[in-house]
Amino acid sequence: MSPVDPRDVAALLGSLVDKSLVVAAPGGDGGMRYRLLETVGEYAAERLDEAGERGAVEGRHLVAYRELARTADPLLRGSAQREWLDRLETEHENLRTALRRAVAARDEQEALCLVLSLGWFWHLRGHRVEARQWGVAVARLGPNPFDPPVAPAAPLYESCTAAPPPMAPEVLAEARRGVRLFALANVEGDVRSMASDEAQRELEGIVSAYRPGLPQTCRVPGLMWFFAVILKCDFDRLAEIVDASVRTCRELGYAWELAFNLQLRSKVMNERSGRDRGATTDADESLEIFTGLGDAWGAAEALSGRGEAREQRGEGAAAADDYRAAIRYAEKLGAHAQVLLLRARLAGVFVEFGDEEEAAEGERILSEVVERGSHVSAEALSYARLHLAQRYGMTGRTAEARAHLLKLHGEFGVRALGLFQGVAEGMLAWLDLVEGRPGNALVTVRGALAKTNERVTELVAPFVPVTQLLTAAEALGVLGGAERMKAAARLVGAYDALREPLHYRVSVPERTGRAHTEAAARALLGDAAYERAYAEGGGLTLKEATALV
């Protein structure tokens, strides 16, 4: 064993996580970690104060753990990923202590280096709240680079943490941008917080600072400017941005960054019409690169993206295979939040495509995810609740379905865009129909359409208001009467015409509802009148069709 400076040991004693008792426990690196009596830590600190060396020793502690984080960060993207994730998890309290000291001393560059080095670790291990809190705290140590007038970001070909501080001026400028991007990317479902004037000014500054194809926008955290573009609803630029990032990665020989941007493009294009086959091609290439690098997280994300594309095309068995393989990679990594989301997606496939035995298994998995509550990411919990509610509604358990949807509606009201409340309301309208209350369904779906006819819907879920038109058509058809039936026929025509270019998978309730509505309208109006109304609806825009509801 190499000699240890007792002063450094004393400083470290005061940094350990739990000083209430003496316990030895195995560390992630195979050694032992110790939790000590608080009085021992206090005694060590007092001795350092008396010697006048506390500041120097704490400075050495800060540098040591900054270097651990900085040099570990690139190793989180390869075959040693799990080993270094565990090492950083073991040392997490020491890393927090280093951050606290840097922030308290207003040592901006040390704090920036620590946050930017730890950002990917926080992401992989689900420490999103912590990532946002530290990002915000460290951002306040320096000027806001996104305040007007915003200086355009110059190309930066190396990471801001490729070398230890001090940082060159152009590196410091990018680091200040990057720490704010980390904070933005870790909102964790609380999108409503981005509606304030201050947040909107920041988003405007981010969008102004960057341009497609910059080398730093190909890697974390610079690539997170993409999310600012989404939050500003500038969806027409998304394809240009991801295409430029992929092109720049190829030109500069960035392997991991290319794989990341390919899987990102796969998922983005999966939500946009006409490019779903390209989504599978991108996911395949991303998977090949990530697998070659030994990056289990990346392989799981690429498989998940391919699974989503296959699910959209109705290829349930192939999608399930991809989700299973992705789960194995995520479990290997110990990425518990990722595992839960992937299990929820697999369960959704079982419920939608499987036989009764698989559907029951899917229901069980979805229930498990929901029961985990606050221990599950907002995305996984919302996904599980929606699919579980649909399963309950389809199997006659409408009270249970409604309870989940009302819970979700309340959660969305606190933290999400109106679109997501509209999704829950649309499903509540469907439940009204299942329970034989078409009048209630019509009122509810009107409110839903008012929320889902937003600009952001075009990117996140363009099919949602289209399916809600069908819910409205079914409600009008059940209510009956010639005028309502004509409106129902027009809405069916609008639904078919608006749905066709979206290339999304039609659910069982949609197919059933459409068939019932058409049959009822034909029976009352006659074939000729139905066809005329249906054709009229086919020429309507979404806004015009919504006005019929």
Side-chain angles (χ1 to χ4, degrees):
M1 180 180 291
S2 59
V4 178
D5 188 329
R7 295 170 301 178
D8 290 327
V9 173
L12 292 176
L13 296 186
S15 304
L16 297 178
V17 57
D18 182 355
K19 295 168 281 188
S20 59
L21 68 166
V22 180
V23 177
D29 55 2
M32 301 297 289
R33 310 296 299 164
Y34 291 89
R35 293 183 295 228
L36 303 168
L37 287 167
E38 187 165 349
T39 52
V40 176
E42 292 172 353
Y43 174 80
E46 288 171 3
R47 299 289 77 75
L48 286 171
D49 282 336
E50 289 173 3
E53 297 184 13
R54 182 169 181 169
V57 174
E58 288 182 348
R60 288 199 292 273
H61 177 275
L62 169 57
V63 169
Y65 282 95
R66 176 253 289 160
E67 281 302 284
L68 171 64
R70 191 183 68 82
T71 55
D73 179 46
L75 301 174
L76 301 179
R77 295 165 177 81
S79 57
Q81 190 175 54
R82 176 62 188 266
E83 174 189 346
W84 284 98
L85 281 171
D86 289 347
R87 175 73 183 278
L88 291 174
E89 198 74 67
T90 299
E91 299 290 358
H92 205 174
E93 184 56 30
N94 274 311
L95 292 161
R96 291 187 185 103
T97 298
L99 261 169
R100 281 193 289 269
R101 287 172 176 162
V103 171
R106 301 197 64 80
D107 192 332
E108 183 192 12
Q109 296 200 23
E110 290 288 359
L112 285 169
C113 190
L114 272 162
V115 167
L116 296 179
S117 297
L118 289 170
W120 195 238
F121 158 68
W122 284 329
H123 174 77
L124 293 181
R125 281 294 166 91
H127 300 301
R128 296 178 66 92
V129 173
E130 186 154 13
R132 179 163 176 79
Q133 289 174 342
W134 282 118
V136 170
V138 173
R140 289 173 178 159
L141 297 178
N144 186 344
F146 300 123
D147 279 345
V150 177
L156 191 66
Y157 293 90
E158 285 193 340
S159 164
C160 293
T161 58
M167 299 174 176
E170 65 276 11
V171 176
L172 177 58
E174 186 59 38
R176 286 169 171 163
R177 288 188 285 263
V179 76
R180 289 177 177 272
L181 290 172
F182 261 133
L184 170 67
N186 286 283
V187 171
E188 177 57 352
D190 187 14
V191 184
R192 283 189 185 275
S193 67
M194 303 310 298
S196 68
D197 290 343
E198 180 183 358
Q200 286 298 307
R201 282 194 299 271
E202 179 115 331
L203 291 174
E204 190 63 48
I206 294 169
V207 172
S208 301
Y210 291 104
R211 66 179 187 277
L214 284 171
Q216 63 263 47
T217 64
C218 296
R219 59 179 178 263
V220 177
L223 62 82
M224 294 173 183
W225 85 290
F226 178 87
F227 299 107
V229 175
I230 291 175
L231 289 169
K232 289 297 291 181
C233 298
D234 192 2
F235 304 138
D236 295 336
R237 299 185 68 195
L238 293 182
E240 175 194 2
I241 289 168
V242 291
D243 288 346
S245 292
V246 167
R247 188 166 56 250
T248 299
C249 287
R250 294 192 194 280
E251 291 170 354
L252 297 177
Y254 293 168
W256 187 91
E257 291 81 0
L258 174 60
F260 186 100
N261 281 281
L262 284 167
Q263 65 84 24
L264 178 62
R265 186 167 72 175
S266 170
K267 292 180 177 180
V268 171
M269 292 306 108
N270 189 36
E271 300 294 342
R272 309 286 283 178
S273 62
R275 291 182 63 169
D276 57 321
R277 291 288 173 183
T280 301
T281 301
D282 282 345
D284 286 341
E285 185 180 358
S286 175
L287 177 61
E288 181 180 2
I289 297 170
F290 277 133
T291 303
L293 293 171
D295 188 323
W297 174 88
E301 285 297 298
L303 284 161
S304 175
R306 191 171 71 182
E308 290 176 37
R310 287 174 166 172
E311 189 179 348
Q312 286 289 91
R313 295 199 299 269
E315 300 169 7
D321 286 343
D322 279 341
Y323 290 140
R324 288 190 189 95
I327 288 168
R328 288 193 292 272
Y329 274 111
E331 286 176 337
K332 175 183 175 183
L333 184 61
H336 306 301
Q338 190 182 27
V339 169
L340 287 170
L341 177 57
L342 289 167
R343 280 176 57 78
R345 290 199 175 279
L346 176 62
V349 171
F350 285 165
V351 167
E352 179 65 23
F353 296 99
D355 56 24
E356 187 50 40
E357 184 177 347
E358 287 180 323
E361 173 65 6
E363 179 183 323
R364 184 188 65 77
I365 294 171
L366 291 170
S367 296
E368 286 180 358
V369 173
V370 169
E371 286 166 7
R372 296 289 297 272
S374 60
H375 301 290
V376 180
S377 71
E379 181 183 5
L381 186 58
S382 299
Y383 184 94
R385 280 198 190 281
L386 284 171
H387 281 72
L388 195 57
Q390 180 171 314
R391 166 70 176 170
Y392 285 156
M394 291 172 63
T395 52
R397 291 169 286 174
T398 54
E400 294 95 325
R402 190 174 294 278
H404 278 293
L405 290 174
L406 290 173
K407 176 73 171 176
L408 198 57
H409 188 268
E411 292 171 354
F412 284 154
V414 172
R415 60 178 170 78
L417 296 170
L419 160 66
F420 296 102
Q421 273 198 308
V423 169
E425 289 175 14
M427 290 190 68
L428 286 165
W430 167 69
L431 276 183
D432 285 333
L433 285 172
V434 172
E435 294 175 330
R437 298 202 299 264
N440 286 1
L442 194 59
V443 171
T444 303
V445 82
R446 283 172 183 154
L449 281 164
K451 293 181 175 70
T452 57
N453 271 279
E454 294 182 346
R455 182 84 169 95
V456 71
T457 306
E458 294 179 26
L459 176 79
V460 177
F463 54 87
V464 166
V466 178
T467 63
Q468 291 173 349
L469 292 179
L470 187 61
T471 302
E474 191 173 358
L476 289 167
V478 175
L479 287 168
E483 290 305 313
R484 290 196 184 102
M485 279 301 187
K486 286 179 184 177
R490 291 188 184 102
L491 288 172
V492 171
Y495 164 79
D496 283 350
L498 294 167
R499 177 185 61 79
E500 194 278 331
L502 297 178
H503 302 287
Y504 79 90
R505 173 175 47 85
V506 178
S507 67
V508 172
E510 277 181 81
R511 289 196 296 271
T512 303
R514 191 202 175 287
H516 287 167
T517 304
E518 179 177 350
R522 284 186 184 276
L524 182 66
L525 300 175
D527 289 343
Y530 172 82
E531 293 294 346
R532 284 195 300 272
Y534 176 86
E536 290 170 5
L540 298 176
T541 65
L542 178 60
K543 184 176 181 180
E544 290 168 339
T546 300
L548 296 176
V549 177

